[in-house]
Amino acid sequence: MPLFRKQPAAQILARHITRRPWFSGEHLFFRVRNGAGTLRMELTRDPDCPNVMLDTYLALTLKGQPLAFLQTSGCPTCQSLLAAGYGLPENAPELRQAADAIAAPFDRLEEALERLSPVTGLLSPGYYILTLTRCYPTDGNGHFFWDVPNSYTDSPATAKTYNLETYSCLPVFPRFLYPSQSTEKYDPDRVEQYRKAIREGKPLPPALCYSAFEYLSILLDGHHRACACALEGIPLPCLILSSARFSGRDDHWQVVWPDEERDTVPGISIPLKQMYCCFPGSPSAPPPKPGRLFTRRWEPEYQRAAARFPDTVEAGALALYNQETLTLEGIRALEDPQGSLVPPALLSYFCRQPGADSKGLALSFAGAETPPCLREAAFRILAGIKGDPEIEDLFVDYLVDCEDRKDPLRLIADHYWD
């Protein structure tokens, strides 16, 4: 009998499917009853910190070894500080067993969960979600996922993107990646093997992640596949484990899926004490010290690769957009008015794609009938295309017709020739 079948079994409680043009995924809600509790989130506080908003630290740990640190702001819509952990421990063969098991094709997500039993057996008893989706090989802030600092640094992907005009958060989901391996383990030959497989149309085995900090998943296995996907400009297939979230009260709890939809699971009564996602860690005085995992200077092609993928705001905008291509009609057809945040983000993303007619697309949104926020974004994109006679004529005409010297479009046009 294979070793992975000897691990504690996960009890599947519900299934959910997300179907959106820019976010699709399958999800399983399951329970672990007798897990070892060695893959978990730990919380510590610095008693000497004078700022109560910055005295709390979270860490995803595997067998006591931190994989990443977060100095949390305490506010779900405020960025937190992210820092490198100490790498995957050497005494964790369960990761390799699970990675080998899911490398072979599987027909259903339930089969994948069964094969992941070496890792789910490391979880603490409680409720979890397994998601099969595609993640962007970036940090959500325009950087290649493995090209990040070791020290505590602001991370937009650790905070929900709040839209002040609609009083709501953008539904970004855990789509961005953070490394857990040292850059010393980087092997360019392995990356080329995966790139060749992608070009030949062969499916990549999914990477394994743990969704730890809002929109950011810690990559447990699949760093070289993520590198290959970054260079090829495609998302990375991922199996993501996450602690389940709930809404409600008393015995009327609903599970909150990664796409923010909610379902009541019949016959399930969840004690409040089993909803906790964090466990007390070792005392943190002084604060946890970051590791030294990321020391490699990455080639320019890696540094440029992240520009093809959305940042956190753009990913949230895409999740709300129900069409494959960008049109003014498509933006106006959004179910809820999204103010001045979503439309410019959509335009910025589509104009950055390889082969996109950035000039033509921006010009189509530069007319007077376009909403002001979107028209301003179009002007900014056009202002970056220098020496173009058609753009020059557009800006000259606007400068002639606009008498308001504080008009934002006039200011953009006026600086075109700087």
Side-chain angles (χ1 to χ4, degrees):
M1 178 181 293
L3 181 60
F4 63 82
R5 294 189 181 275
K6 297 180 182 179
Q7 304 296 324
Q11 178 188 6
I12 298 174
L13 303 174
R15 190 172 189 270
H16 179 69
I17 296 179
T18 302
R19 291 189 178 93
R20 300 185 185 184
W22 298 97
F23 177 73
S24 61
E26 300 177 56
H27 320 275
L28 292 179
F29 172 48
F30 66 97
R31 182 179 185 181
V32 173
R33 292 182 179 272
N34 55 345
T38 54
L39 175 59
R40 67 185 196 174
M41 295 292 297
E42 294 187 2
L43 181 149
T44 56
R45 284 190 168 89
D46 176 11
D48 298 326
C49 181
N51 189 340
V52 295
M53 292 293 290
L54 297 174
D55 70 345
T56 302
Y57 295 84
L58 295 176
L60 177 65
T61 64
L62 177 57
K63 297 191 174 181
Q65 185 152 310
L67 305 183
F69 292 110
L70 189 81
Q71 184 181 18
T72 176
S73 65
C75 170
T77 57
C78 299
Q79 295 181 25
S80 296
L81 302 177
L82 189 65
Y86 302 147
L88 296 171
E90 297 294 334
N91 62 335
E94 298 89 347
L95 279 182
R96 186 73 269 146
Q97 295 162 14
D100 291 342
I102 62 175
F106 51 86
D107 295 325
R108 303 175 71 243
L109 190 54
E110 289 81 353
E111 183 180 356
L113 179 60
E114 182 181 358
R115 296 186 191 182
L116 287 175
S117 59
V119 171
T120 57
L122 299 176
L123 299 172
S124 299
Y127 296 89
Y128 299 88
I129 289 177
L130 176 67
T131 295
L132 175 61
T133 188
R134 292 181 177 273
C135 292
Y136 306 118
T138 81
D139 67 347
N141 193 30
H143 303 112
F144 171 57
F145 86 100
W146 219 346
D147 189 18
V148 290
N150 291 293
S151 58
Y152 285 99
T153 307
D154 281 334
S155 172
T158 62
K160 295 180 181 293
T161 302
Y162 189 67
N163 189 340
L164 290 171
E165 296 180 60
T166 61
Y167 303 104
S168 62
C169 294
L170 297 187
V172 179
F173 319 120
R175 303 296 300 275
F176 304 101
L177 299 175
Y178 190 81
S180 64
Q181 283 190 356
S182 167
T183 53
E184 293 180 357
K185 295 183 178 294
Y186 171 74
D187 182 351
D189 292 336
R190 290 186 62 189
V191 175
E192 285 304 313
Q193 291 174 5
Y194 285 125
R195 294 188 72 179
K196 180 180 178 182
I198 293 171
R199 292 166 183 163
E200 293 175 351
K202 298 178 181 178
L204 292 182
L208 179 59
C209 310
Y210 191 101
S211 177
F213 311 124
E214 293 297 349
Y215 306 141
L216 201 64
S217 293
I218 308 301
L219 193 55
L220 303 176
D221 177 76
H223 289 66
H224 290 91
R225 274 164 280 169
C227 289
C229 287
L231 296 178
E232 294 298 318
I234 62 173
L236 172 70
C238 292
L239 284 167
I240 306 175
L241 290 166
S242 60
S243 293
R245 295 183 295 132
F246 302 92
S247 67
R249 60 184 180 84
D250 301 329
D251 292 333
H252 303 287
W253 297 105
Q254 291 182 311
V255 60
V256 181
W257 298 104
D259 60 6
E260 300 296 335
E261 292 191 24
R262 290 160 167 76
D263 278 333
T264 299
V265 182
I268 299 296
S269 177
I270 305 170
L272 186 60
K273 65 180 181 180
Q274 294 192 25
M275 294 189 180
Y276 298 147
C277 300
C278 295
F279 300 85
S282 57
S284 60
K289 185 177 180 181
R292 292 284 299 167
L293 292 181
F294 317 130
T295 58
R296 188 177 191 275
R297 184 175 179 84
W298 292 95
E299 292 80 1
E301 62 177 340
Y302 278 113
Q303 298 175 13
R304 293 191 298 265
R308 306 177 188 177
F309 301 99
D311 61 21
T312 53
V313 176
E314 293 165 349
L318 287 169
L320 294 169
Y321 191 65
N322 290 320
Q323 299 189 33
E324 295 287 349
T325 57
L326 183 69
T327 64
L328 184 57
E329 293 72 22
I331 290 176
R332 286 174 171 163
L334 287 170
E335 292 182 3
D336 298 312
Q338 293 300 326
S340 60
L341 182 64
V342 169
L346 289 171
L347 182 59
S348 174
Y349 173 76
F350 279 97
C351 283
R352 263 200 341 269
Q353 297 314 294
D357 179 10
S358 299
K359 172 189 165 183
L361 190 58
L363 284 173
S364 70
F365 286 88
E369 76 285 354
T370 304
C373 65
L374 193 54
R375 193 181 186 194
E376 183 176 340
F379 266 53
R380 293 190 184 281
I381 292 170
L382 293 172
I385 306 173
K386 302 297 185 180
D388 186 285
E390 187 175 5
I391 297 175
E392 289 184 353
D393 289 343
L394 171 70
F395 285 166
V396 168
D397 290 343
Y398 194 87
L399 289 170
V400 170
D401 294 336
C402 180
E403 297 180 356
D404 182 3
R405 293 187 176 275
K406 295 183 179 180
D407 180 85
L409 300 185
R410 180 188 173 99
L411 294 174
I412 295 171
D414 196 32
H415 287 87
Y416 179 70
W417 293 269
D418 289 353

